[in-house]
Amino acid sequence: MILALIEHDRGTLNPLSLEMLTFARGLAAEQNLPLEAVVVGGDGRGLAGELAGQGIARLHVADHPRLTDYAPEAWAHTLLHLIETELPQAVLAAGTDRGNEVLAHTAARANLPLAANCVAVQPGEPYHITRIRWGGSLLEEATLNGSPKLLTVAPHTIPAEAASGPAPELVSVTPPLDDRDFRVMVTAREETRGDKVTLVDARVVVGGGRGVGSAAGFASLDELAALVDGAVGCSRAVTNEGWRPHADQVGQTGTRIAPDLYIACGISGAIQHMVGCKGAKHVLAVNTDPQAPILSKADYAVIGDLHEVIPAIVEEIK
């Protein structure tokens, strides 16, 4: 059996889990094994309908009075409990912050190796894997030992595809959690404004770098994003200057995005930033430097001053 960790936030499915399930289905099919999944927390029970047609035979719903929000060690202990009782050959999660964190805790507790951000797997003993390393600048070929195999799937590298089949059978699980499992957990939240499109969900992202020049310089980028129902992002240099909050940062240490179009304005294209936007289907770069590294990754480029180009695009749209 292949076991997949379904990531959710208080009952809201993380779509990257669907990409992971596509990967997991292929791995299970190659070995003629059933695919099963687990959601941690009773509020994940309602995801069964959304997971119909994903090829999942059984959905284990781990419920516990203290599982009211995300707690990485509690999630990991839940996986360990299922590993001991269900004996899966492999355990997969999406390569998100949470997915990597939970499987890292699981690996440490079980004294097993973990392969993060995989893009391909050839099953066998050991598994032969291909994974993204060094911020997306290279692919590593490696072997993965241990039983079960623990791996996460790199985000935005495998399109989510539905399979045929009914909703999975629900199986209730009560993991044996203790105080140690709740040393770290979400206890409060500072919610962002709900009327704004988020970087993760936006079909168009307008990004600004050091070339924007100031916090006030983002006004035209904000206006363009509003016109196309998009979101504004930025590079790390911008957050370092204090022009935009860290929540707007796109990159290896920020948010990873996958819009239909990414408009990068005044961004040089450091590898750490490109890791964050590599999932974009199309990239339009606006830069005064024709040798800027981002131009080698862009589908389209305008060589010019963003303070002239972006207002011109805004007026044309209007």
Side-chain angles (χ1 to χ4, degrees), residues 256-276:
R256 302 193 182 201
I257 60 174
D260 292 338
L261 175 64
Y262 180 47
I263 305 174
C265 308
I267 295 175
S268 63
I271 183 62
Q272 291 85 356
H273 184 77
M274 299 312 297
V275 168

Side-chain angles (χ1 to χ4, degrees), residues 191-305:
E191 301 289 353
T192 57
R193 283 172 47 195
D195 59 342
K196 292 180 63 177
V197 179
T198 67
L199 283 173
V200 173
D201 298 328
R203 295 184 61 189
V204 178
V205 174
V206 184
R210 194 187 300 274
V212 176
S214 66
F218 274 86
S220 60
L221 278 65
D222 285 320
E223 187 176 11
L224 174 57
L227 284 172
V228 296
D229 196 24
V232 174
C234 66
S235 66
R236 182 172 181 176
V238 168
T239 61
N240 287 345
E241 293 289 346
W243 299 342
R244 304 286 292 198
H246 175 73
D248 290 353
Q249 183 184 326
V250 173
Q252 187 173 6
T253 56
T255 301
R256 302 193 182 201
I257 60 174
D260 292 338
L261 175 64
Y262 180 47
I263 305 174
C265 308
I267 295 175
S268 63
I271 183 62
Q272 291 85 356
H273 184 77
M274 299 312 297
V275 168
C277 65
K278 68 183 301 179
K281 297 180 178 62
H282 301 286
V283 176
L284 164 62
V286 180
N287 207 296
T288 56
D289 181 8
Q291 302 303 319
I294 196 169
L295 267 66
S296 66
K297 304 293 185 181
D299 299 283
Y300 309 97
V302 178
I303 307 303
D305 185 348

Side-chain angles (χ1 to χ4, degrees), residues 23-163:
F23 186 97
R25 275 201 313 274
L27 181 61
E30 282 190 66
Q31 302 172 88
N32 196 28
L33 294 172
L35 173 63
E36 300 189 9
V38 55
V39 290
V40 182
D43 48 4
R45 186 178 301 273
L47 297 178
E50 293 184 61
L51 296 173
Q54 293 294 332
I56 301 171
R58 297 197 299 169
L59 177 64
H60 302 267
V61 181
D63 203 358
H64 188 279
R66 298 180 66 180
L67 282 173
T68 56
D69 212 322
Y70 177 60
E73 292 182 85
W75 284 39
H77 195 168
T78 298
L79 284 183
L80 284 172
H81 177 67
L82 288 172
I83 287 171
E84 294 170 357
T85 58
E86 302 297 328
L87 304 177
Q89 184 177 108
V91 180
L92 283 72
T96 60
D97 290 343
R98 286 189 178 185
N100 286 327
E101 181 178 33
V102 172
L103 257 66
H105 278 291
T106 305
R109 285 195 176 193
N111 195 28
L112 288 169
L114 164 66
N117 295 316
C118 297
V119 295
V121 174
Q122 180 182 344
E125 194 53 60
Y127 278 12
H128 290 266
I129 63 168
T130 304
R131 64 180 186 145
I132 294 175
R133 293 295 306 276
W134 291 98
S137 61
L138 61 84
L139 293 175
E140 176 188 76
E141 302 286 345
T143 56
L144 177 61
N145 295 283
S147 180
K149 309 294 188 297
L150 303 180
L151 58 147
T152 64
V153 180
H156 307 306
T157 56
I158 299 164
E161 297 177 358

